[in-house]
Amino acid sequence: MTKYKSQITVALVCCILGFMLAYQFKILNKRTNSPNLKAATTDITVEIEQYKKEKEELQKSINDLQAKLKKYEDAAASRSDETKNIVEELEKTRLLTGTKDVEGPGIILYLNPKTKILGNDIPGEHITDKHLIYIVNELISAGAEAISINDARITPRTGIRTSGNNILINEERISPFERITIKAIGNKELLYKTLDFPGVFTDFLHISTPEYERYDKIEIKRYNKSFKFEYAKPIKG
């Protein structure tokens, strides 16, 4: 008798849980198909597209202004050796700050996050900001002269940090659950040997499959935003 009571109790609990799950699914499905939600999603999509267009227009304006500035600099450099030296120093400064498009030999590294069966991302087992900082440090130590992560140029003031489900680099959001591309310009053989050294990717083996190769020519885009100094001032003397 006690056995039957236990079975009946379990059956009732299963029925109640089934009813609750069905009810929750119905509510969720109703909310998902809500006209208000669809309208809000459409508005957000339209707004994002507008921002993309504005960004493209601003980028075009920046390119035009930089082209004009280049003409002025070339004209100034042709006037005297002094102005020529000034322009050369300005170019070196742009290279150091990452505000110049560059090209040269180097390596391209791909980080491919591992996933569960059915394509679900592994909770807590994804690429982090610490992994990217580690790679950047390794490349800089190997003499990399220019580095970018998903085309976000690494500069002396670049911050790499986790923000929610993304990684922020120069205020650009990068998903740790998708393929990440890292480019580095420098001595391609030295950069390759640095990455190929045993143990370099030990911490990545359970979260990513690194791929890297040497190239004779790599292009890395510039950092387009301006540097502002509010507190640091040059010492006069």
Side-chain angles (χ1 to χ4, degrees):
M1 190 70 176
T2 304
K3 180 180 178 182
Y4 291 132
K5 286 183 179 180
S6 299
Q7 291 177 345
I8 293 172
T9 302
V10 170
L12 286 173
V13 170
C14 290
C15 289
I16 293 171
L17 287 175
F19 174 77
M20 291 177 65
L21 287 172
Y23 180 75
Q24 289 291 336
F25 179 78
K26 183 178 179 181
I27 294 296
L28 181 61
N29 188 50
K30 184 177 180 181
R31 289 180 179 176
T32 303
N33 295 321
S34 170
N36 292 334
L37 180 60
K38 289 183 178 180
T41 304
T42 302
D43 292 340
I44 291 172
T45 303
V46 171
E47 191 173 356
I48 290 173
E49 289 300 319
Q50 289 176 345
Y51 283 135
K52 285 182 179 179
K53 289 180 180 179
E54 289 178 9
K55 182 180 179 181
E56 291 174 359
E57 291 174 359
L58 288 172
Q59 185 59 56
K60 186 176 182 301
S61 298
I62 290 172
N63 293 338
D64 292 341
L65 289 171
Q66 288 178 335
K68 290 180 181 179
L69 180 60
K70 184 68 170 61
K71 290 181 180 179
Y72 295 147
E73 290 174 356
D74 291 342
S78 63
R79 292 181 182 178
S80 67
D81 290 339
E82 184 178 357
T83 53
K84 182 179 179 180
N85 292 334
I86 293 174
V87 172
E88 288 177 354
E89 288 299 320
L90 182 59
E91 281 293 283
K92 290 180 182 178
T93 301
R94 286 174 177 157
L95 290 173
L96 288 171
T97 57
T99 54
K100 183 82 174 178
D101 290 345
V102 292
E103 64 179 20
I107 60 100
I108 297 180
L109 165 69
Y110 300 101
L111 295 177
N112 304 295
K114 292 182 179 179
T115 56
K116 283 183 177 179
I117 299 174
L118 302 178
N120 295 320
D121 294 310
I122 303 174
E125 296 292 336
H126 55 269
I127 298 168
T128 68
D129 51 354
K130 294 180 178 61
H131 293 126
L132 297 183
I133 291 171
Y134 167 77
I135 291 178
V136 169
N137 285 338
E138 288 293 317
L139 293 172
I140 291 175
S141 298
E145 297 175 354
I147 301 173
S148 70
I149 301 178
N150 280 15
D151 289 330
R153 183 71 171 268
I154 303 301
T155 75
R157 296 185 65 183
T158 293
I160 302 176
R161 63 183 179 86
T162 298
S163 177
N165 293 325
N166 296 289
I167 299 175
L168 280 183
I169 302 177
N170 294 339
E171 299 179 6
E172 297 287 336
R173 295 184 181 276
I174 292 177
S175 173
F177 302 105
E178 298 176 1
R179 181 185 232 198
I180 295 177
T181 303
I182 302 175
K183 298 179 182 178
I185 291 177
N187 185 320
K188 63 179 183 179
E189 297 300 332
L190 182 56
L191 293 173
Y192 185 88
K193 288 179 181 178
T194 297
L195 296 180
D196 209 39
F197 191 81
V200 169
F201 289 111
T202 301
D203 292 339
F204 288 82
L205 296 180
H206 65 295
I207 60 168
S208 173
T209 307
E211 301 173 12
Y212 46 94
E213 190 51 73
R214 292 157 286 201
Y215 293 88
D216 293 326
K217 183 180 178 181
I218 296 173
E219 293 184 2
I220 295 181
K221 296 298 182 181
R222 62 184 176 270
Y223 175 74
N224 281 321
K225 298 177 182 178
S226 60
F227 290 99
K228 294 182 180 179
F229 292 88
E230 184 178 353
Y231 301 100
K233 306 294 180 183
I235 298 175
K236 297 178 181 179

